[in-house]
Amino acid sequence: QVKLVESGGGSVQAGGSLRLSCAASGSFFRMNVMGWYRQAPGNQRELVAFIMRDGSTKYADSMKGRFTISRDNAKNTVYLQMNSLKPEDTAVYYCAAGPTMYDFGSWGQGTQVTVSS
């Protein structure tokens, strides 16, 4: 019911920055919460951050202070600004959306982020 398309991934050296974008389309009420997850080879998918429609946010501890999630409700777009990137940040990053933080029912296809040392 919600289509999510990520962009902005790429290859960067350690210490560099990237900004990911996620364009959403579909049901307004299924975009109350939007978030970013990531999955590295051999690892489980893990939460990066999520943001409510009112702008309140929550981050995973390992990303706190380096990553910033934001959203533009008028454009139906969520962003992830990633600074001070580390090789361990290398993963496929997925955008997600849902009516509540416990019900992420829509997922994007993912965008690859590669950080070299």
Side-chain angles (χ1 to χ4, degrees):
Q1 298 183 43
V2 176
K3 184 176 181 179
L4 305 169
V5 181
E6 302 98 333
S7 62
S11 181
V12 65
Q13 290 186 313
S17 299
L18 286 172
R19 190 179 79 155
L20 307 183
S21 298
C22 174
S25 60
S27 176
F28 174 87
F29 297 103
R30 293 189 179 275
M31 303 179 196
N32 290 336
V33 186
M34 301 187 72
W36 290 94
Y37 285 73
R38 70 184 186 185
Q39 186 168 24
N43 290 8
Q44 293 184 316
R45 187 173 297 187
E46 63 176 339
L47 173 71
V48 175
F50 67 78
I51 183 167
M52 310 296 290
R53 190 176 297 278
D54 67 2
S56 60
T57 60
K58 188 173 180 64
Y59 297 86
D61 288 341
S62 62
M63 274 68 80
K64 191 181 296 291
R66 299 189 299 121
F67 293 4
T68 302
I69 189 170
S70 62
R71 66 188 291 171
D72 186 333
N73 292 328
K75 296 181 178 180
N76 290 330
T77 301
V78 63
Y79 305 94
L80 184 68
Q81 178 66 48
M82 304 185 293
N83 299 325
S84 301
L85 283 163
K86 305 174 181 179
E88 51 263 44
D89 294 320
T90 295
V92 177
Y93 284 71
Y94 298 90
C95 181
T100 74
M101 66 182 72
Y102 307 108
D103 188 25
F104 284 115
S106 301
W107 296 85
Q109 294 299 303
T111 184
Q112 177 71 47
V113 171
T114 302
V115 184
S116 60
S117 60

